[in-house]
Amino acid sequence: MNKQIIAAIDIGTNSIHMVIVRIEPSLPAFTVIAKEKDTVRLGDRDPATGKLTPEAIQRSLATLRRCKDLATSLNASQIIAVATSASREAPNGQDFLRQIEEELGIVVNLISGQEEARRIYLGVLSGMDFNEKPHIIIDIGGGSTELILADIHEPRFLSSTKVGAVRLSKEFVTTDPISDRELKVLRAYVRGMLERSVDGIWQQLQLNEVPHAVGTSGTIETLAVIHARDELDTVPDPLNGYEMSRKDIEKMVKKLAKMSYEERLDVPGISERRAEIIVPGAVILLEAMRMLKLDSIMICERALREGIIVDWMLTRGLINSRLRYQNEVKSRNVLKIAQKYHVDLDYSQRVAQFALSIFDQLKGVLHSWGTEERELLWSAAILHNSGVYISHSSHHKHSYYLIRNAELLGFTELELELIANIARYHRKSKPRKKHDAYHKLPHKEYQQIVKQLSAILRLAVALDRRNQGAIAGVTCQYDSHHRSLKFLIQPSEVGDKCALELWNLSYKKEIFEEEFDVELTATISETKLPIATMKA
């Protein structure tokens, strides 16, 4: 693979960040060649409806247009964009993302708070040497704060809490300078909100482990700039690795809280927009450090946008050294959720194997889906029966709900929606317009993915009807002239006629036949056959 230039965009609550990098596949590593940032205040939502305002949307579109122009001028071959809490929570968030795609041609992936935390971890890990010590990462955004406990091998604990500098400024600060009473309420609220995440980190720390603290994003970087000017009379460039003590942060919070907006503006290093939200942001940092008993914190300039790049490299197999373990994040989390809901893994692994076998044999013959869709099919096959955990009755619908609301790391919100839909249609009704979740998929192509992959999954489920691995394998023979498809089925035991599986296949094949416009037949073969024979 040649050197490639990639742009990553993070559409946050307070600002939009872009980083453009040159991927060095031989190392593998990346070099940052350009950065862009603009404060758009997407989190300034309509107080009555909670919707993103037309003004914030227009500011964001203008920034994204500039980002796209810059990426194009630097010959970026791909723009990867993600959106976080503001777009997640607003009732018109999905409409906003569709507008970006229609007007600018940028596809934006909505990611969950936990997935945001995982990618922040990847970004930090790419820019810091963790050695063998645990690290607590604190990332304070406009809408949420991510607290992460991690080591060089994996994130041990990931959390995302709805306390952010913009959110708290809007909800709690009405006085200027902030009154003692509002400051007290703000601190108490932050402590209450962070309590669960902090407890989760304490539980995952081993006895006698002393974690190092790392801070990322705008609030912490601004505090570091103020601190460096006071202490060193200069600002280190880069800020990466700069350290501040908790005592010094306490002093800064005290000082900033006594200042009016105009006075904060006069502090070198605080921008106009940052001056509005620096006090709530600094309070979040200080309270998190107090609760976690952290004496100091080190700055890391890499965060979510660099994590997007690392994740892109991982999914393409470009990194296989210290981050190798992270490459398996999707499959590990699917299996973890399967265990959580007491899925019979032997059975679901067999169903997944049949589904992938049919998918692979029919690729280029009856469909043209690729590795990403194959991964969605595998995930849906493993989890298709998870709904039985709630009740066997309508368990396909329960599976949809459980998958959709599971913290499946590594996947975007859209991918989770597709997996949940594919699993939901493994039995009973085929996908219909009146089904809300299916109908709301943003493109016809995504509906097509659900229709075709769920049709394949139905056949895979039928092939293990007795739940005992009666069928060893299936070979597909396609006759394009007659548009007929034959399954040659190999039993696990000689002499087994697999009558129940054949009956279930004939019962379930109708939706598959309709979707792919073929006639499907199945027969038992006693001899081992090559995996696929296609007749022209």
Side-chain angles (χ1 to χ4, degrees), residues 5-9 18-21 71 76-81 308-309:
I5 292 170
I6 299 288
I9 299 175
M18 178 175 74
V19 64
I20 301 174
V21 303
S77 60
Q78 199 171 343
I79 297 174
I80 312 151
I308 296 166
I309 299 288

Side-chain angles (χ1 to χ4, degrees), residues 103 117 284 293 411 424:
E103 291 190 24
I284 296 168
K293 297 183 170 47
F411 295 100
R424 183 245 190 272

Side-chain angles (χ1 to χ4, degrees), residues 442-454:
H443 286 302
K444 286 273 189 285
E445 183 192 351
Y446 299 133
Q447 294 181 350
Q448 183 83 336
I449 288 170
V450 170
K451 285 194 290 186
Q452 297 204 338
L453 299 193
S454 63

Side-chain angles (χ1 to χ4, degrees), residues 14 37 39 41 165-166 168-170 173 175-178 186 218-219 222-223 226 252-253 255-283:
N14 184 48
K37 181 201 166 186
T39 304
R41 283 290 158 84
V166 173
L168 297 191
S169 179
K170 281 190 75 179
V173 184
T175 51
D176 183 37
I178 187 169
L186 183 64
T219 292
T222 302
L223 291 172
I226 299 167
M252 281 192 282
V253 171
K255 196 171 163 186
L256 289 166
K258 288 196 170 107
M259 293 179 178
S260 67
Y261 170 70
E262 295 299 332
E263 288 169 329
R264 290 195 299 273
L265 260 185
D266 288 339
V267 176
I270 301 186
S271 68
E272 191 182 330
R273 292 292 207 165
R274 185 63 61 184
E276 295 171 6
I277 60 171
I278 189 69
V279 173
V283 166

Side-chain angles (χ1 to χ4, degrees), residues 238-257:
L239 267 176
N240 225 35
Y242 186 79
E243 202 161 358
M244 297 181 283
S245 71
R246 188 173 84 209
K247 278 185 180 171
D248 286 350
I249 293 167
E250 278 170 358
K251 284 180 202 161
M252 281 192 282
V253 171
K254 216 171 187 175
K255 196 171 163 186
L256 289 166

Side-chain angles (χ1 to χ4, degrees), residues 24-25 64 77 85 119 130 137 142 156 170 181 225 254 263 289 318 328 354 374 376 383 412 434 437 460 472 500 524:
E24 313 277 354
L64 288 167
S77 60
S85 66
R119 295 196 196 191
F130 275 31
I137 302 165
R156 296 189 205 168
K170 281 190 75 179
R181 186 184 168 278
V225 167
K254 216 171 187 175
E263 288 169 329
M289 288 181 74
L318 294 177
E328 298 153 10
F354 287 138
R374 190 179 191 272
L376 299 177
L383 296 173
T412 65
K434 66 177 183 181
L500 193 57
I524 296 293

Side-chain angles (χ1 to χ4, degrees), residues 14 47 122 129 218 245 419 479 514:
N14 184 48
L122 290 178
D129 193 347
S245 71
I419 293 166
D479 180 344
E514 192 180 305

